[in-house]
Amino acid sequence: MAALRRKFGEDYQVVNTNRADTFSAPVKKKRQRFVDKNGRCNVQHGNLGGETSRYLSDLFTTLVDLKWRWNMLIFILTYTIAWLVMASMWWIIAYIRGDLNHGHDASYTPCVANVYNFPSAFLFFIETEATIGYGYRYITEKCPEGIILFLFQSLMGSIVDAFLIGCMFIKMSQPKKRAETLMFSQDAVISQRDGKLCLMFRVGNLRNSHMVSAQIRCKLIKSRQTPEGEFLPLDQCELDVGFGTGADQLFLVSPLTICHEINPKSPFFDLSQRSLMNEEFEIVVILEGIVETTGMTCQARTSYTEDEVLWGHRFLPVMSLEEGFFRVDYSQFHSTFEVPTPAYSVKEYEEKNSLASPAHSPSPALTESYGARRDRVFSVDCINTSDERRRATGGRLPSKLQRMSSSGKEDLQRKVLLLSSHHSEKACSTGDLPLKLQRLSATQGPEAENRLHLKSLQVDFEPMTQSTGDLCQHSLLTTAALSPTPVPMHSPLLSAGGRPEDNLPAKLRKMNADR
């Protein structure tokens, strides 16, 4: 015990799960199992009616499936009745021919020599059937019916021997007894492995001969009700024990711990330590493999009910390294020890993580709006660069339109700078701005806010690569958003589609066309 505590820590306590030696607290009433611990299924078929004739159609399998006492009774009765019937047929032939009255007459040739009564006829049949041939009783050539009966006896004897001896051989060589040397842990445990909550149990092989192509499967037996109201008693659900990763293929030369990871696809996703006390289920474990010595398929079964699932336990190691070999201590095969394990389910754990994550990281919507605001804040250098581009194209417009565009541009610059100074996020430092704009951007307070109160959600700045008509139109849209009185939607400058020159009066359009 001291060595175990040094290895696993002082907090771990070895638990002996053998219920015959330790006192356990009273538990709820033991319910009926679907599969016993030895693998026997507690299912009986009744009210078959006329379907019992199907058993006779497969008589060989029916005899093999019978218990040993019934097999022995059928074996003895079949041979005894067959011997008596055949001995009676030989006695009847001797009686009909009158051989019984001339048994000691040397001049008389009987059908079977030295057959005087039924015991002698029975001995002759046994000698013939067993091919003993003592030489005292034999068939003569004067008895054709005896020759025919001899051929019939040989054929029937071969059929009966093949049927009964084959049945006994198959029953004796069944791999069911091989399953007696395959061990399962008495209890299953739930604890963490590699940071994940897992359901685990242990399997072992007591023989040195291996199980070829050993594979393990698990079924969860639990009654449930469908959303449509249908009740499914003993519904079977598959438990993943490594089918996708190949972990269900076992190399069973030493005890192995089989692990089922509890994840959102597992039926134990919402199972906690408290809910385990109120659950009713049964886990059926099926181990299949080919017996190395006989080449026959063997299957071992066991089951675990909810009372046999220990929360917060782990199996005690049974492997130790000796000089030149590994030693397995099967005295600790069923022993477990307690380990720190969360008492809540995996579902509750994921819900807690999902609720705690938004407090530490910004949401995607906030990140997107933050990036959008940064992209929409312009520097004055960008405005000046776009000014030069507009001068190249704006020289083609009349002077009246150029003055309108320049005034709208100044208003737009003032509003952009005020918006950038109103928020804490600035695309560039104010030291890069002209002195007049620095004073304008540094002006803050109630008066400035009342004079120009910009709402970032209502103003959507477009890229500054626009013509002067677009700037004018954008200036009017911004003014409409800031002014308390709405701008009529039928205004020519707010109309969508077409070029900006199309919204001008006819006289201005003609002047523009002449230029």
Side-chain angles (χ1 to χ4, degrees):
M1 181 66 69
L4 292 176
R5 288 186 176 178
R6 285 196 302 270
K7 185 175 182 179
F8 299 104
E10 295 292 336
D11 296 335
Y12 297 139
Q13 179 182 1
V14 177
V15 179
N16 187 2
T17 58
N18 188 359
R19 289 171 173 76
D21 299 337
T22 58
F23 174 78
S24 58
V27 295
K28 58 183 179 181
K29 185 178 178 181
K30 191 174 182 180
R31 61 181 181 86
Q32 182 64 44
R33 305 176 72 103
F34 186 68
V35 178
D36 288 336
K37 297 295 287 185
N38 58 3
R40 186 179 65 88
C41 299
N42 294 322
V43 178
Q44 293 185 359
H45 304 282
N47 298 328
L48 295 177
E51 302 298 331
T52 53
S53 59
R54 296 176 179 266
Y55 290 99
L56 298 178
S57 61
D58 189 12
L59 184 59
F60 185 81
T61 306
T62 303
L63 292 177
V64 173
D65 288 340
L66 290 176
K67 295 183 178 180
W68 270 107
R69 54 178 176 268
W70 297 109
N71 277 101
M72 295 300 297
L73 180 62
I74 292 174
F75 186 86
I76 295 172
L77 287 179
T78 301
Y79 274 106
T80 303
I81 293 173
W83 291 346
L84 291 175
V85 170
M86 296 305 296
S88 300
M89 295 179 69
W90 285 109
W91 180 83
I92 291 173
I93 290 176
Y95 178 79
I96 293 174
R97 288 175 57 88
D99 296 342
L100 300 179
N101 298 327
H102 303 83
H104 300 281
D105 189 357
S107 61
Y108 181 77
T109 304
C111 180
V112 180
N114 300 319
V115 174
Y116 314 114
N117 48 25
F118 183 78
S120 60
F122 185 78
L123 289 175
F124 170 74
F125 167 75
I126 294 298
E127 292 176 11
T128 305
E129 180 66 23
T131 65
I132 296 174
Y134 292 113
Y136 184 70
R137 298 177 178 88
Y138 55 89
I139 301 175
T140 62
E141 68 278 1
K142 301 289 184 174
C143 183
E145 60 271 19
I147 297 174
I148 296 174
L149 182 59
F150 175 76
L151 296 176
F152 178 75
Q153 172 187 332
S154 300
L155 293 175
M156 289 302 297
S158 300
I159 293 174
V160 172
D161 290 343
F163 190 82
L164 292 181
I165 295 176
C167 178
M168 298 296 291
F169 175 76
I170 293 298
K171 190 166 183 65
M172 286 187 296
S173 62
Q174 274 186 324
K176 288 184 178 180
K177 296 303 178 183
R178 178 64 177 90
E180 298 292 335
T181 55
L182 296 175
M183 292 183 60
F184 296 92
S185 60
Q186 189 174 0
D187 297 300
V189 298
I190 294 180
S191 60
Q192 286 186 328
R193 172 178 283 189
D194 297 330
K196 300 176 182 178
L197 197 65
C198 299
L199 169 71
M200 294 174 285
F201 57 91
R202 180 181 278 173
V203 296
N205 183 15
L206 297 180
R207 290 188 180 273
N208 291 328
S209 59
H210 304 321
M211 293 289 296
V212 182
S213 301
Q215 183 179 11
I216 195 163
R217 295 182 291 118
C218 290
K219 294 283 187 180
L220 176 64
I221 310 296
K222 184 179 180 181
S223 301
R224 68 181 184 91
Q225 189 172 5
T226 63
E228 295 79 13
E230 180 185 5
F231 180 72
L232 301 177
L234 302 178
D235 182 46
Q236 299 185 13
C237 176
E238 188 77 19
L239 291 181
D240 185 15
V241 288
F243 178 77
T245 60
D248 59 332
Q249 305 291 332
L250 307 181
F251 182 55
L252 197 59
V253 296
S254 63
L256 298 177
T257 301
I258 310 302
C259 178
H260 165 68
E261 180 185 342
I262 301 178
N263 50 29
K265 297 181 180 180
S266 172
F268 298 129
F269 181 57
D270 55 351
L271 182 68
S272 62
Q273 185 176 9
R274 178 176 297 180
S275 63
L276 180 61
M277 303 177 183
N278 303 323
E279 288 285 343
E280 287 189 2
F281 60 85
E282 186 172 350
I283 302 172
V284 179
V285 181
I286 304 171
L287 176 62
E288 292 179 339
I290 300 175
V291 182
E292 188 179 31
T293 54
T294 62
M296 303 181 69
T297 303
C298 172
Q299 185 181 95
R301 296 181 297 268
T302 190
S303 68
Y304 301 99
T305 59
E306 66 278 358
D307 298 330
E308 298 169 345
V309 178
L310 306 179
W311 189 282
H313 284 243
R314 188 180 298 166
F315 286 107
L316 199 66
V318 294
M319 292 285 294
S320 61
L321 178 61
E322 303 291 340
E323 259 189 63
F325 62 92
F326 293 93
R327 181 181 180 85
V328 179
D329 183 12
Y330 278 98
S331 63
Q332 304 292 336
F333 185 82
H334 304 285
S335 299
T336 63
F337 60 93
E338 297 180 358
V339 292
T341 304
Y344 46 81
S345 64
V346 179
K347 181 179 180 181
E348 296 173 350
Y349 177 76
E350 292 187 356
E351 289 178 353
K352 290 180 180 179
N353 287 345
S354 62
L355 292 177
S357 56
H360 301 282
S361 61
S363 63
L366 293 177
T367 307
E368 183 179 358
S369 62
Y370 173 77
R373 287 199 305 269
R374 293 191 59 183
D375 294 341
R376 290 169 185 170
V377 175
F378 300 96
S379 66
V380 180
D381 297 336
C382 295
I383 298 177
N384 294 334
T385 305
S386 61
D387 263 351
E388 296 175 358
R389 295 180 181 177
R390 263 186 228 100
R391 289 195 189 106
T393 58
R396 301 176 185 176
L397 299 178
S399 58
K400 185 177 181 180
L401 290 181
Q402 292 180 12
R403 287 195 300 272
M404 292 173 59
S405 62
S406 60
S407 61
K409 178 190 63 177
E410 293 176 358
D411 293 339
L412 182 60
Q413 290 178 359
R414 187 184 306 109
K415 294 167 185 175
V416 168
L417 290 176
L418 182 60
L419 178 63
S420 62
S421 63
H422 181 71
H423 295 86
S424 61
E425 302 167 356
K426 295 186 179 181
C428 59
S429 62
T430 55
D432 299 334
L433 303 179
L435 182 60
K436 184 177 180 180
L437 294 180
Q438 290 182 20
R439 294 175 181 176
L440 179 61
S441 61
T443 304
Q444 295 182 357
E447 296 180 359
E449 291 180 358
N450 294 334
R451 188 173 57 225
L452 290 174
H453 181 68
L454 299 180
K455 298 180 179 180
S456 60
L457 296 179
Q458 295 179 358
V459 179
D460 186 13
F461 295 102
E462 298 294 331
M464 297 304 295
T465 58
Q466 301 175 0
S467 64
T468 53
D470 294 335
L471 284 174
C472 183
Q473 180 181 356
H474 190 78
S475 175
L476 290 176
L477 287 173
T478 308
T479 309
L482 295 176
S483 61
T485 59
V487 179
M489 296 303 299
H490 59 273
S491 176
L493 293 178
L494 293 178
S495 59
R499 298 179 303 171
E501 289 82 3
D502 296 337
N503 299 327
L504 300 177
K507 186 176 180 179
L508 294 179
R509 285 201 303 270
K510 184 177 180 181
M511 294 173 61
N512 191 17
D514 293 338
R515 290 179 63 85

